[in-house]
Amino acid sequence: MARPIVRIRDLNFSYGDTPILKGINAEIYPGQITVIAGRSGCGKTTLLRNIVRLEIPTSGSIELFGHEITSYSEQAFGEVRRRIGMLFQHGALLDSISVHDNIAIPLEQHTRLPPRLITRIVDTKLNRVGLNGVTHLFPSELSGGMKKRAALARAMALDPEILFFDEPSAGLDPMTSKTLDALIIGMAQRFGITLVAVTHELTSIRRIADHILFLDDGEVRFDGTFEEANACCDEVVFDFFHADRRQGLGCVD
């Protein structure tokens, strides 16, 4: 069996005296699309932020690529950071610079490539997400879906081994969301990238998920395949995955 690309053990995280994550144990395997799901406020995004070291756990262990990162310095984690990509909920593009310059940021920060080659890479990444001819535009000139795709191109700039998404469909209309989901699936299949997406959008979960990590009140309530989640008779999990079905649908043991 493949070695997990992310391994989490007994992870706890608190804001002050308020516990947010409580004894999280999970493994994420290469080549899969893993969805961290659950209702709003359950700790999904906080877990993601702990994995990518935007938050520091109160206690417990997180391994990325076999490296225990919770005790890493910022400098030491910098080497690991180059192997991951992150698509933030609202894209987090810088409004004051062009699309080209936004996508070039990680290449300029982490490589010594000449400007001409950086431009070629930027054009390639934009082509992969279906955005041609927009390098000179500013983020304010893009639609919501285009901003998400531009942010995805930036997250892909350094060819990461694992890519993290925070609510990728947030704020998008159903058709744009479907297009973005198809792009995510295509990237996983074409490039073999491990993808981890935080979302509560049931339609997107059904389309993209290979593996589900379902949180409830800061704890893991379910961990398994999408098919297993869909058939799970745990009341909370069942209600979530069948929320759009007609009322009165029973759970058959």
Side-chain angles (χ1 to χ4, degrees):
M1 189 174 183
R3 183 176 184 178
I5 197 168
V6 180
R7 187 194 301 268
I8 302 166
R9 289 289 178 266
D10 301 320
L11 182 69
N12 295 283
F13 178 81
S14 300
Y15 284 122
D17 295 328
T18 304
I20 306 298
L21 301 176
K22 309 166 188 176
I24 301 289
N25 288 281
E27 294 178 344
I28 295 169
Y29 286 88
Q32 292 185 335
I33 301 178
T34 295
V35 169
I36 303 174
R39 296 174 293 191
S40 296
C42 69
K44 304 185 300 295
T45 295
T46 301
L47 176 58
L48 182 64
R49 290 176 62 85
N50 273 260
I51 295 173
V52 300
R53 204 180 159 83
L54 293 175
E55 303 283 3
I56 305 300
T58 305
S59 63
S61 168
I62 301 174
E63 292 182 12
L64 264 174
F65 311 110
H67 301 286
E68 166 56 57
I69 64 167
T70 53
S71 59
Y72 269 23
S73 65
E74 269 302 301
Q75 182 176 1
F77 188 68
E79 294 301 312
V80 177
R81 186 178 284 116
R82 293 186 58 176
R83 301 171 67 183
I84 67 177
M86 179 75 188
L87 177 61
F88 294 93
Q89 181 172 343
H90 300 293
L93 297 173
L94 300 178
D95 291 331
S96 59
I97 60 177
S98 68
V99 170
H100 171 279
D101 291 346
N102 267 281
I103 298 168
I105 288 172
L107 294 163
E108 293 170 345
Q109 289 183 338
H110 297 290
T111 75
R112 296 182 179 179
L113 297 173
R116 182 176 298 179
L117 183 53
I118 288 177
T119 295
R120 288 179 59 187
I121 294 172
V122 168
D123 289 341
T124 298
K125 302 307 180 185
L126 285 170
N127 181 61
R128 286 182 179 175
V129 299
L131 285 181
N132 296 313
V134 303
T135 57
H136 64 288
L137 297 179
F138 285 78
S140 61
E141 300 176 276
L142 303 180
S143 68
M146 292 171 72
K147 287 180 182 179
K148 287 289 180 76
R149 284 186 281 161
L152 178 56
R154 184 180 61 186
M156 291 288 295
L158 293 173
D159 296 320
E161 297 168 54
I162 183 168
L163 190 56
F164 296 93
F165 298 81
D166 185 11
E167 299 285 2
S169 300
L172 301 180
D173 63 81
M175 287 305 299
T176 303
S177 176
K178 184 177 181 179
T179 300
L180 183 60
D181 287 344
L183 181 60
I184 290 171
I185 294 168
M187 288 175 49
Q189 293 174 343
R190 183 178 178 185
F191 302 111
I193 304 171
T194 303
L195 304 178
V196 181
V198 164
T199 184
H200 64 272
E201 298 285 349
L202 187 54
T203 303
S204 288
I205 294 171
R206 286 180 177 146
R207 283 196 288 251
I208 70 175
D210 298 316
H211 177 241
I212 303 285
L213 185 66
F214 186 89
L215 301 189
D216 182 56
D217 192 27
E219 300 178 323
V220 176
R221 188 95 178 199
F222 172 86
D223 187 348
T225 66
F226 173 78
E227 290 76 15
E228 291 167 342
N230 201 46
C232 180
C233 284
D234 177 279
E235 181 179 1
V236 174
V237 178
F238 182 87
D239 286 348
F240 180 89
F241 282 95
H242 298 274
D244 57 352
R245 304 268 180 99
R246 288 181 301 176
Q247 290 185 357
L249 180 64
C251 184
V252 180
D253 290 324

